[in-house]
Amino acid sequence: ALHLVACLVQIAMTTSAPLRLGSAAFSPEVQSANATFACASIVGIIAAGVGKLYLIEGHLRAYWYLLVASAVVDALWAGALVRHGEACTVLVEHAEQLRSSKSCHFTTAVPLTIFLAMCLVKLIGAAVVAAARKDIRRQYADEMLPHMRKSLEQSFGDIDGGAKPFAGGHSAATRGYGTTVF
């Protein structure tokens, strides 16, 4: 749910003017690319919910990759904020040699903290999704194996008491994979 809310906020914050976070400015093109990724993420979030509900492991696998990619994007945003987040003002004109001639301060601490926290949350989410994938695999096996066993028994006879012979006179136990002739 947190990832979905973050995507909606990113889409809502997209403007046609440069976005200013502290002293860092991001162009409309960068904002549009980020909003596009957020839209794709929403589709992935919904697919992951469906995958968890209907035991479709592939949906969760895709969402795991999406979470990791999203964490990388957040880390890139944080890196841009670190790189462009310092604002300096000149205190004494034409005194570049003096150390006290200018004052610098970091202006993007709050957005940087938010992006780093979201990166951490998404990595934790990826670990949770990986555990959910294992749970789905176990749950799927628990539900499907009895049906597969029944189907095999109907097709090949009692699989516990030995295999019944095929038309060629060989049993399923003595034939190799892919060599059975009907």
Side-chain angles (χ1 to χ4, degrees):
L2 189 59
H3 189 197
L4 179 62
V5 170
C7 289
L8 293 173
V9 168
Q10 288 173 355
I11 293 168
M13 287 182 61
T14 303
T15 65
S16 59
L19 175 65
R20 296 210 171 272
L21 297 175
S23 60
F26 298 97
S27 71
E29 292 81 14
V30 171
Q31 294 176 59
S32 295
N34 192 54
T36 302
F37 185 73
C39 288
S41 295
I42 290 172
V43 173
I45 292 166
I46 293 168
V50 170
K52 178 64 176 153
L53 183 64
Y54 292 107
L55 305 179
I56 305 171
E57 184 186 357
H59 288 200
L60 288 179
R61 184 180 323 108
Y63 183 58
W64 184 88
Y65 285 116
L66 179 74
L67 275 173
V68 171
S70 186
V72 169
V73 168
D74 286 346
L76 290 173
W77 275 93
L81 289 173
V82 167
R83 185 163 189 239
H84 302 289
E86 186 177 57
C88 296
T89 55
V90 176
L91 301 175
V92 179
E93 292 293 326
H94 307 293
E96 287 85 17
Q97 292 82 10
L98 297 175
R99 200 162 212 190
S100 62
S101 66
K102 70 178 179 176
S103 170
C104 296
H105 57 283
F106 194 66
T107 62
T108 58
V110 172
L112 176 65
T113 304
I114 291 170
F115 277 111
L116 290 176
M118 286 305 298
C119 183
L120 180 65
V121 164
K122 289 173 184 175
L123 291 175
I124 291 170
V128 169
V129 169
R133 283 177 54 199
K134 288 181 184 177
D135 183 50
I136 282 177
R137 214 174 299 131
R138 181 197 50 78
Q139 197 173 358
Y140 186 77
D142 289 347
E143 289 181 12
M144 292 305 293
L145 283 179
H147 299 290
M148 292 174 66
R149 181 178 184 84
K150 183 179 177 184
S151 177
L152 284 173
E153 285 176 352
Q154 288 174 350
S155 297
F156 300 115
D158 184 17
I159 57 175
D160 284 334
K164 292 187 179 179
F166 284 70
H170 299 282
S171 70
T174 60
R175 304 274 312 203
Y177 176 74
T179 61
T180 304
V181 179
F182 293 98

